[in-house]
Amino acid sequence: DHKFNVVYLGAMGTANALDTLISAAKIVMDKGIDDIQFTLVGDGPLTEKLKRNAEALRLQNIEFFNSVPKQYVPGVLSHAGCLNFSASDSPLYRYGVSANKLFDYMCSSKPIIFAMNTINDYIKESGGGISIKPGNADQMADAILAIYSMSQEERNQMGAKGRAFVEQNFDIPILTDKLEEVFHS
């Protein structure tokens, strides 16, 4: 359909804090906004629990799909209005994070809602989305509604900033040059 699609793609475990996204879906639904769809693609130890929670909340704006092979990830992401990257608020992330999913998201040129407490917030640094505190469903819903309220051109520009950041900082030739510099210093 032609709804604004908030997509999460990846593992469904404790570290991913998807209960916050489900709570944000409830907030959006309770506001009477019926053209925002939440799509969660993946699996993991909490998949069934998350589905039960969504069902108990009678969420009509959320769908769950099984994992997809890596080659289909860009196609799935291309159907998003924005992407969700959330994590539990763990002291471990204070030291940084380098998640493949985040780079896949940024390469999709879609705005990203980044809910993680880490020193390397590439979304904030790039302007490729909105960074919020982890575990805060109200902030998550507000960020979703902020991106939803943007024009398509504004969303495209935001997503393009994330992609440009990855190309300028994490492309293989650039990483190779950085590694060579480390070896020569």
Side-chain angles (χ1 to χ4, degrees), residues 12-28:
M12 295 191 189
T14 304
N16 309 104
L18 293 174
D19 51 330
T20 304
L21 184 59
I22 289 174
S23 295
K26 172 77 168 140
I27 292 167
V28 169

Side-chain angles (χ1 to χ4, degrees), residues 25-180:
K26 172 77 168 140
I27 292 167
V28 169
M29 188 181 81
D30 287 349
K31 289 181 183 278
I33 302 168
D34 61 359
D35 60 343
I36 296 179
Q37 176 69 35
F38 292 78
T39 303
L40 285 74
V41 180
D43 57 31
L46 296 183
T47 303
E48 293 307 314
K49 180 182 180 218
L50 293 166
K51 287 179 181 179
R52 286 191 305 273
N53 289 351
E55 188 176 304
L57 292 171
R58 298 183 178 176
L59 297 180
Q60 298 171 0
N61 59 351
I62 194 164
E63 287 187 83
F64 291 84
F65 294 93
N66 294 330
S67 295
V68 297
K70 183 76 169 170
Q71 71 259 29
Y72 298 116
V73 166
V76 171
L77 299 179
S78 72
H79 294 286
C82 74
L83 302 167
N84 172 268
F85 186 103
S86 57
S88 57
D89 192 8
S90 169
L92 174 66
Y93 301 131
R94 288 186 323 220
Y95 303 104
V97 64
S98 179
N100 288 337
K101 174 176 39 188
L102 183 58
F103 296 120
D104 288 342
Y105 277 16
M106 293 175 84
C107 285
S108 75
S109 299
K110 300 291 182 175
I112 300 165
I113 298 167
F114 186 75
M116 185 176 211
N117 187 13
T118 183
I119 61 167
N120 58 338
D121 183 343
Y122 299 140
I123 301 308
K124 188 176 200 174
E125 193 175 336
S126 69
I130 299 173
S131 294
I132 63 170
K133 292 180 183 177
N136 189 316
D138 289 319
Q139 281 188 3
M140 177 85 62
D142 288 346
I144 290 164
L145 294 172
I147 293 173
Y148 165 78
S149 297
M150 293 177 178
S151 69
Q152 186 60 52
E153 182 178 336
E154 290 171 313
R155 289 194 294 264
N156 290 345
Q157 289 172 353
M158 183 178 271
K161 289 177 183 179
R163 181 173 178 106
F165 184 85
V166 170
E167 290 173 348
Q168 294 165 4
N169 294 283
F170 296 101
D171 196 29
I172 297 295
I174 291 167
L175 292 176
T176 301
D177 290 345
K178 288 179 181 179
L179 183 60
E180 285 180 1

